Amino acid sequence: MVTLVIDNRKRYTDVLPATAAEGLLCSCDGELLEGFISNLFIVQQTDMGLLVQTAVDGALAGVKQREVLDACQALGIRTQRKAALKQERHLWTEAFLTNAVRGLRSIRTITCPAQNALDWDTWEIHFPAYDEDSVSARVQSYMQQSCQDLFQLCTD
């Protein structure tokens, strides 16, 4: 589970519920920007197929973020370098976090608790369990294969 918070990360790490794997930084406009130590990716179904969104403005660029965007391009998955909006959460089909140390981690639940820094209404969204056909699994598999290919190239 990931819980929404905003602004000063240190101020909020102590108040995260024990079940929260990470907090999310959000804007006052309803944009989900990034995790405390990760880049956030939201997958949504559109009329044109799947779309993977990640914030660029207002978020730190990450090494894994770049790798995910490259993997999506190679896999033919559309991307948008724009923060997902909480108002569009009914379109979300999947979410995941990345950072250089932890790699890619699927999110099962995003919760906006009753007492949050933005006074947003309480809400919660659940995602299906990680499976081989999910965007996150396909991206992760592609990145692992690319890493293995690079390693093989270096050792030949």
Side-chain angles (χ1 to χ4, degrees):
M1 175 170 63
V2 178
T3 299
L4 303 176
V5 294
I6 187 168
D7 90 29
N8 183 341
R9 148 175 56 182
K10 175 118 175 75
R11 186 167 105 192
Y12 293 102
T13 52
D14 293 339
V15 297
L16 282 175
T19 56
E22 184 163 1
L24 296 179
L25 301 175
C26 305
S27 76
C28 295
D29 297 325
E31 299 169 309
L32 282 72
L33 300 172
E34 61 187 340
F36 285 171
I37 60 170
S38 304
N39 290 109
L40 172 68
F41 293 84
I42 298 290
V43 181
Q44 66 179 15
Q45 185 65 49
T46 69
D47 293 339
M48 297 174 56
L50 292 173
L51 174 68
V52 176
Q53 290 182 281
T54 188
V56 175
D57 295 334
L60 293 175
V63 172
K64 287 292 180 195
Q65 182 185 40
R66 176 77 258 152
E67 289 180 28
V68 167
L69 292 171
D70 290 345
C72 285
Q73 181 178 9
L75 293 167
I77 300 169
R78 292 181 319 115
T79 60
Q80 185 176 44
R81 292 170 178 89
K82 177 181 170 250
L85 298 172
K86 74 174 177 83
Q87 299 89 322
E88 296 176 349
R89 65 187 177 275
H90 63 282
L91 301 173
W92 302 351
T93 59
E94 187 180 347
F96 57 95
L97 298 166
T98 63
N99 80 16
V101 175
R102 293 183 178 172
L104 187 150
R105 296 176 294 143
S106 289
I107 297 173
R108 290 294 309 274
T109 304
I110 298 177
T111 301
C112 183
Q115 297 178 346
N116 61 77
L118 295 171
D119 291 325
W120 287 353
D121 291 337
T122 301
W123 56 269
E124 186 168 85
I125 183 168
H126 300 277
F127 301 104
Y130 180 91
D131 73 43
E132 295 174 7
D133 295 327
S134 66
V135 169
S136 56
R138 294 179 359 212
V139 166
Q140 188 169 40
S141 177
Y142 180 88
M143 290 189 314
Q144 287 171 341
Q145 186 60 53
S146 295
C147 186
Q148 290 170 358
D149 292 347
L150 183 59
F151 179 75
Q152 185 65 41
L153 197 70
C154 293
T155 57
D156 285 344

